[in-house]
């Protein structure tokens, strides 16, 4: 015996109209244009009827009728790197505007990504595509007019940060603040130089040290590991203190702190240390680590808002804040006075 309960019949737009005491065209206008042009009392009645009936539009039928799917796609090079926070910001902006989001990742680099983009546009699967990786301009020239594409190239094909993710302006803020505390000697433990972000931070470090007339004891060409932080400290002379060390990321900074402590150097009295990325462990290191917070959600939401504005032929409303901010913690202090003989 089949005891499965019959599925409740889905309410229709006609039922909403009858309950609200309006025409089905009025309900359709409410759904398609967010009630624009309707009287306030009409809006209230339609809204109340939709809530009471728990009405949900049939998106498939609507997309066939209006040629609008209500779907957007976000393209990233590969899932090997987890851009979760950037995608979260983009998805939240899309959902707030009434869209659903598909995240797509393709192997094969820019060529494969470009061909998939053409497929999406040709078959009208989505209204717009946001790509966080570069797209060949020749592919964009071949797109049909039915799909809007916004390229917010923040990642290359190896998921290395470019665009706003390579913004190194926080290095200037760090050095200027440390100099105001009395630091005159600096050291940079750089990240992997294959990354645009690592090269930008190293270049900004050298330029800022020169502009302020400070002393650099070198730029160590490391990678993004804690081991490179420890190896960098091992290259320093014993009499290099007091010193300010600017590390490529928080893991490198953790290696710097460990190596400095093993040499008997006090952090921050002898050596001030800064990191980058403001990872969840940064506040819990000993001492807590000064780091650079990157507002990945803001980057994602601004990119999505540009796409939605292009679809709707509107001016995008963007968050104007900078994408980076220095979070000052205990690993930074004024250099201690030299011990008396």
């Amino acid at each position: 015996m089949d005891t499965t309960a019959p599925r409740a019949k889905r309410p229709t737009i006609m039922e909403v109209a009858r309950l609200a005491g309006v025409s089905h065209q009025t309900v359709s206008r409410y759904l398609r244009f967010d009630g624009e042009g309707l009287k306030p009392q009409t809006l209230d009645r339609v809204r109340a009827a939709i809530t009471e009936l728990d009405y949900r539009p049939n998106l498939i039928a609507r997309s066939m009728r209006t040629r609008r799917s209500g779907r957007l796609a976000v393209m990233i090079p590969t899932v090997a790197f987890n851009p979760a926070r950037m995608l979260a910001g983009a998805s939240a902006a899309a959902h707030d505007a009434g869209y659903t989001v598909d995240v797509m990742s393709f192997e094969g680099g820019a060529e494969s990504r470009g061909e998939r983009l053409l497929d999406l546009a040709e078959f009208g699967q989505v209204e717009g595509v946001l790509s966080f990786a570069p797209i060949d301009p020749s592919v964009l020239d071949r797109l049909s007019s039915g799909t809007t594409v916004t390229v917010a190239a923040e990642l290359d094909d190896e998921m290395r940060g470019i665009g706003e993710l390579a913004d190194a302006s926080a290095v200037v803020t760090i050095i200027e603040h440390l100099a105001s505390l009395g630091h005159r000697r600096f050291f940079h433990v750089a990240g992997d130089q294959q990354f645009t972000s690592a090269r930008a931070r190293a270049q900004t470090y050298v330029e800022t040290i020169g502009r302020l007339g400070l002393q650099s004891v070198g730029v160590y060409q490391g990678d993004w590991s804690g081991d490179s932080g420890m190896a960098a400290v091992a290259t320093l002379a014993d009499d290099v203190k007091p010193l300010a060390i600017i590390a490529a990321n928080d893991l490198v900074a953790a290696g710097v702190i460990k190596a400095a402590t093993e040499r008997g150097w006090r952090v921050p009295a002898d050596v001030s240390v800064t990191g980058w990325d403001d990872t969840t462990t940064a506040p819990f290191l000993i001492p807590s680590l000064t780091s650079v917070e990157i507002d990945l959600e803001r980057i994602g939401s601004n990119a999505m808002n540009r796409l939605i504005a292009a679809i709707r032929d509107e001016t995008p409303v963007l968050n104007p804040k900078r994408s980076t901010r220095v979070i000052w913690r205990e690993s930074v202090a004024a250099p201690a006075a030299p011990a008396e003989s």
Side-chain angles (χ1 to χ4, degrees):
M1 179 178 177
D2 186 2
T3 58
T4 303
R7 180 177 297 179
K9 182 182 177 182
R10 184 170 183 164
T12 67
I13 193 172
M14 301 300 292
E15 291 173 299
V16 173
R18 281 196 295 270
L19 183 59
V22 298
S23 68
H24 71 275
Q25 292 93 337
T26 298
V27 178
S28 178
R29 182 181 182 86
Y30 172 89
L31 295 171
R32 292 180 61 190
F33 303 107
D34 296 325
E36 183 179 345
L38 299 180
K39 296 179 180 178
Q41 57 268 36
T42 303
L43 285 173
D44 292 340
R45 292 205 306 271
V46 174
R47 191 178 297 118
I50 288 174
T51 301
E52 181 176 337
L53 294 174
D54 191 23
Y55 172 77
R56 289 170 295 159
N58 188 325
L59 296 179
I60 295 176
R62 186 174 70 180
S63 67
M64 293 175 64
R65 184 172 61 254
T66 65
R67 297 282 189 183
R68 295 194 175 278
S69 65
R71 294 174 58 206
L72 304 174
V74 176
M75 299 179 70
I76 57 176
T78 175
V79 295
F81 169 82
N82 180 15
R85 289 176 54 201
M86 204 157 56
L87 290 173
S91 296
H95 294 158
D96 287 346
Y99 293 91
T100 59
V101 176
D102 297 325
V103 178
M104 301 178 178
S105 174
F106 308 104
E107 299 293 338
E111 182 177 355
S112 174
R113 188 167 54 251
E115 291 303 317
R116 186 66 180 110
L117 177 60
L118 290 173
D119 289 341
L120 289 170
E122 180 179 353
F123 294 107
Q125 299 176 45
V126 294
E127 289 186 52
V129 179
L130 170 61
S131 180
F132 281 120
I135 299 291
D136 189 326
S138 65
V139 171
L140 298 178
D141 292 339
R142 293 161 57 194
L143 284 171
S144 65
S145 59
T147 301
T148 303
V149 176
T150 294
V151 179
E154 302 298 339
L155 303 160
D156 67 12
D157 284 328
E158 302 300 324
M159 293 301 284
R160 294 177 294 215
I162 54 180
E164 280 196 82
L165 293 180
D167 178 13
S169 59
V171 172
V172 178
T173 302
I174 290 171
I175 294 175
E176 289 180 342
H177 179 69
L178 291 172
S180 73
L181 294 178
H183 282 280
R184 292 295 176 266
R185 189 177 297 143
F186 290 78
F187 183 51
H188 179 43
V189 186
D192 187 336
Q193 294 299 291
Q194 294 184 70
F195 287 72
T196 303
S197 55
R199 296 195 301 272
R201 291 170 204 172
Q203 180 179 352
T204 302
Y205 165 84
V206 171
E207 291 174 352
T208 306
I209 293 295
R211 176 173 61 83
L212 298 178
L214 303 169
Q215 178 189 357
S216 174
V217 298
V219 175
Y220 183 86
Q221 301 296 337
D223 48 36
W224 303 109
S225 69
D227 286 337
S228 72
M230 296 190 67
V233 172
T235 67
L236 297 172
D238 290 335
D239 63 353
V240 76
K241 305 174 297 178
L243 180 67
I245 301 179
I246 299 174
N249 66 11
D250 290 353
L251 185 55
V252 173
V256 167
I257 291 173
K258 177 176 173 59
T261 302
E262 290 178 350
R263 290 187 66 166
W265 296 352
R266 300 166 299 166
V267 179
D270 297 321
V271 180
S272 283
V273 181
T274 67
W276 200 285
D277 292 333
D278 194 34
T279 55
T280 54
T281 58
F284 303 105
L285 295 176
I286 301 177
S288 59
L289 179 64
T290 291
S291 189
V292 177
E293 175 191 66
I294 305 176
D295 193 345
L296 297 172
E297 291 84 358
R298 171 195 161 278
I299 293 175
S301 65
N302 274 354
M304 181 59 76
N305 284 330
R306 285 195 293 270
L307 172 63
I308 293 170
I311 292 172
R312 297 176 174 178
D313 195 22
E314 299 173 348
T315 301
V317 178
L318 306 178
N319 184 334
K321 293 195 308 181
R322 294 193 66 86
S323 59
T324 58
R325 179 170 68 105
V326 181
I327 308 297
W328 300 103
R329 297 193 180 98
E330 299 166 339
S331 64
V332 163
E340 294 183 5
S341 303

